Amino acid sequence: MNTKTKAGTKEWAGLAVLTLGSLLIMLDIGVLNFAVPAMSADLRPSAPELLWIMDIYPFALAGLLIPMGWVGDRIGRRKLLITGALLFGAASACAAMATTPEALIASRALLGVAAAPVTPTVLGMIRVMFDDADQRRTAIAAWTGVLTSSTAFGPVIGGLLLNHFWWGSVFLINIPVMVLLVALAPFLLPEHRDPSRGKLDAIGAVLSFAAILTVVYGVKESAVNGYSPSAVLSIAAGLALGFAFVQRQRTVAGPLLDLELFRYRAFSGSVAITLIVHGTLIGINLLVNQYLMSVLGMRPFTAALWSLAAFPVVAMAAPITATYSRRVRPGNFLACGMVVMAVGCGLLFFVRADSPVLFVMAGVALIAAGLLMVKARVADIVLTAAPPERAGSSAAVSETANELGNALGFAAFGTIGLAVFHHRMADVHPRGLSSSDLDAARGSIGGTTSAAGRLTGGTADSLLHAGREAFTHGLDLAALTAAGVLGVTAVLSAILLRKEPIAAPAPAGAAGAAGSVPPRVADAAR
């Protein structure tokens, strides 16, 4: 007998509120990019200060996801969500009114702390609000579709605000939305917690935060500045701290993270897939955005408007995902999503320096649509792998994989594009450039454009043409690499997860077989 209760108008209205809050968290990661010139002219940060202004928010967010997932499960997700929203609104006001680089860095760090509870809390609440599996998948697909589209809407919103207001307006827009969330949450969102969780493992929380922070910092440092002992040391220290965290979770009485979940093949596979697909999206988007501006010569706001061309495809992918994820086995469905992404990357492999922008955006649209398919199915797997009262902690693992994937994708695909660029530009010797200008021209497409501005006539045109061709070849190779990685991962997903059921994990009696569900997980998923 099916005892699952159907969600009503209240739950769907609550989903809209949750989605709006999540959307702002995602937008805040990238919306500052457009404000950098105006903000830099006003606050005059040094180069290290500017890097910290940009990076401290995602660093704090990534490092606190796992501890905040546990806190939400323990004290109540609605309570933590409201607390985070209030703090996020206050931090937004502080960031908008900052008069020094130090004040803005501190405000951005506080924004990251406030944002950390939101995503695992939101997913945990979706798990409770939508008990019916079909409705839950529809809700997750809708939520995922909006967040996937945020990569396109964020730059547009930032550009519109900056065209009419000062740079602090990109933060102030957060405040009315957070006020709305705080006002409606007590009426539309249920409270849910697990009082049996005991005390917070403070040492584990510190180890988790330090491990994520040092790994992400080291990866980004190596991507921006190339190989350096400090970057390698940071990554090594992060891995050592991560190992210590895992060992502690195996022995401590009240772990932050239930490692038994990783014995469930669909869960561990989904976390790995999340890291790969998010890394692909961030890495390829980075190169495509540079292509639009530096090769096709678009202004940033024009490039942001063109990115909206992917939205119709993403919008169509959401209902398709909701419908077929309930009919197709997880391994096959995840493989299909990655194949769609691989096809999009395959299209980008054929991009040339003078390709039509619609052709480029067709590839981007397929990558985004495939990501939506994968992320929505992964979210459902992750949420149903744990008991409802511990869904926040489970979701935090997936979201941490997102952040690690973002950092790794930025580093890996950025490095591929830059290596090809350096190789192609090594034989370029334009007349009239000093040795320092020549090094800059060979260093990046931005340096090429700047150096060409110091030349005249055919020499400048020749240098620009060489730089644009070199950058495009880098994009092509990165896209081909991404397509290959996604294709291999799709095949592995279809093979290794072929026995996973559509609706729920196997019963407890099946525990012990390879890839089967541990009793604690199986009991929760019934």
Side-chain angles (χ1 to χ4, degrees):
M1 180 178 178
N2 186 8
T3 59
K4 304 290 185 182
T5 56
K6 292 278 189 177
T9 304
K10 178 181 177 180
E11 285 76 19
W12 291 106
L15 176 67
V17 173
L18 291 173
T19 301
L20 190 59
S22 296
L23 179 62
L24 274 188
I25 300 301
M26 294 299 296
L27 291 179
D28 223 61
I29 293 177
V31 74
L32 186 61
N33 292 337
F34 274 78
V36 166
M39 179 269 294
S40 297
D42 187 16
L43 302 185
R44 298 186 178 182
S46 64
E49 286 173 336
L50 182 59
L51 285 176
W52 278 112
I53 288 171
M54 300 300 295
D55 288 341
I56 192 64
Y57 176 82
F59 282 0
L61 172 62
L64 290 172
L65 280 169
I66 290 177
M68 287 300 179
W70 186 96
V71 171
D73 289 344
R74 176 63 181 84
I75 71 171
R77 295 178 195 134
R78 186 177 68 188
K79 182 186 296 184
L80 184 62
L81 182 66
I82 291 174
T83 303
L86 288 170
L87 186 59
F88 197 86
S92 296
C94 292
M97 303 302 174
T99 57
T100 65
E102 294 81 4
L104 186 54
I105 291 170
S107 299
R108 290 275 288 171
L110 190 59
L111 280 168
V113 173
V118 174
T119 300
T121 299
V122 166
L123 283 171
M125 297 188 83
I126 289 175
R127 173 71 174 89
V128 174
M129 291 162 62
F130 298 92
D131 196 35
D132 179 80
D134 289 344
Q135 285 190 324
R136 183 174 60 249
R137 288 174 186 145
T138 300
I140 290 173
W143 176 80
T144 306
V146 172
L147 295 195
T148 302
S149 302
S150 68
T151 56
F153 284 113
V156 175
I157 293 172
L160 287 173
L161 288 171
L162 291 169
N163 279 348
H164 297 90
F165 306 101
W166 94 112
W167 61 267
S169 62
V170 300
F171 296 109
L172 286 184
I173 193 177
N174 298 334
I175 297 176
V177 177
M178 289 303 169
V179 169
L180 181 66
L181 191 155
V182 170
L184 295 179
F187 304 100
L188 296 176
L189 304 178
E191 184 58 284
H192 205 277
R193 56 175 152 311
D194 178 14
S196 67
R197 299 218 74 171
K199 294 182 179 180
L200 174 68
D201 175 21
I203 295 176
V206 171
L207 287 172
S208 168
F209 178 81
I212 299 296
L213 188 65
T214 50
V215 168
V216 172
Y217 174 79
V219 170
K220 284 198 171 186
E221 178 73 13
S222 64
V224 173
N225 299 319
Y227 170 81
S228 68
S230 62
V232 174
L233 182 62
S234 179
I235 295 172
L239 293 176
L241 288 167
F243 178 78
F245 170 74
V246 171
Q247 293 301 112
R248 180 169 178 81
Q249 298 310 290
R250 286 176 174 169
T251 57
V252 72
L256 288 173
L257 182 61
D258 185 1
L259 297 180
E260 290 287 299
L261 290 171
F262 288 93
R263 290 177 54 200
Y264 173 28
R265 185 174 288 172
F267 179 88
S268 54
S270 294
V271 171
I273 288 169
T274 295
L275 188 147
I276 291 169
V277 297
H278 272 268
T280 300
L281 177 75
I282 292 298
I284 296 301
N285 264 0
L286 169 73
L287 295 174
V288 168
N289 288 338
Q290 288 183 280
Y291 172 86
L292 294 177
M293 291 183 284
S294 299
V295 177
L296 298 187
M298 293 184 182
R299 294 169 61 88
F301 187 59
T302 304
L305 288 175
W306 269 108
S307 66
L308 293 178
F311 178 71
V313 179
V314 175
M316 288 188 292
I320 293 173
T321 299
T323 299
Y324 287 97
S325 63
R326 69 189 67 164
R327 302 177 184 176
V328 181
R329 287 181 177 272
N332 293 336
F333 191 86
L334 292 171
C336 287
M338 286 182 281
V339 167
V340 172
M341 294 184 72
V343 171
C345 292
L347 287 180
L348 293 180
F349 172 69
F350 294 99
V351 166
R352 298 296 176 259
D354 57 352
S355 291
V357 66
L358 281 177
F359 180 78
V360 179
M361 296 318 299
V364 173
L366 288 174
I367 294 173
L371 175 72
L372 186 152
M373 295 172 63
V374 173
K375 186 172 176 63
R377 194 65 180 98
V378 162
D380 189 53
I381 291 171
V382 167
L383 291 180
T384 54
E389 63 272 13
R390 300 193 178 189
S393 298
S394 167
V397 177
S398 176
E399 293 307 308
T400 301
N402 288 354
E403 299 302 323
L404 287 175
N406 292 345
L408 291 172
F410 178 84
F413 293 106
T415 299
I416 291 171
L418 199 58
V420 173
F421 183 86
H422 289 166
H423 177 73
R424 302 277 300 192
M425 293 293 288
D427 296 328
V428 174
H429 301 280
R431 296 179 179 178
L433 281 182
S434 65
S435 58
S436 60
D437 285 341
L438 181 58
D439 289 339
R442 291 172 175 172
S444 68
I445 184 63
T448 303
T449 304
S450 178
R454 299 183 182 89
L455 300 174
T456 58
T459 306
D461 292 340
S462 177
L463 178 60
L464 278 175
H465 176 75
R468 289 167 177 168
E469 289 288 336
F471 184 87
T472 304
H473 279 287
L475 169 61
D476 293 344
L477 183 59
L480 181 63
T481 303
V485 171
L486 289 166
V488 170
T489 308
V491 171
L492 291 175
S493 172
I495 294 174
L496 297 179
L497 303 181
R498 65 187 182 279
K499 295 182 180 179
E500 297 298 332
I502 295 174
S516 63
V517 187
R520 199 181 329 175
V521 178
D523 291 340
R526 286 178 176 176

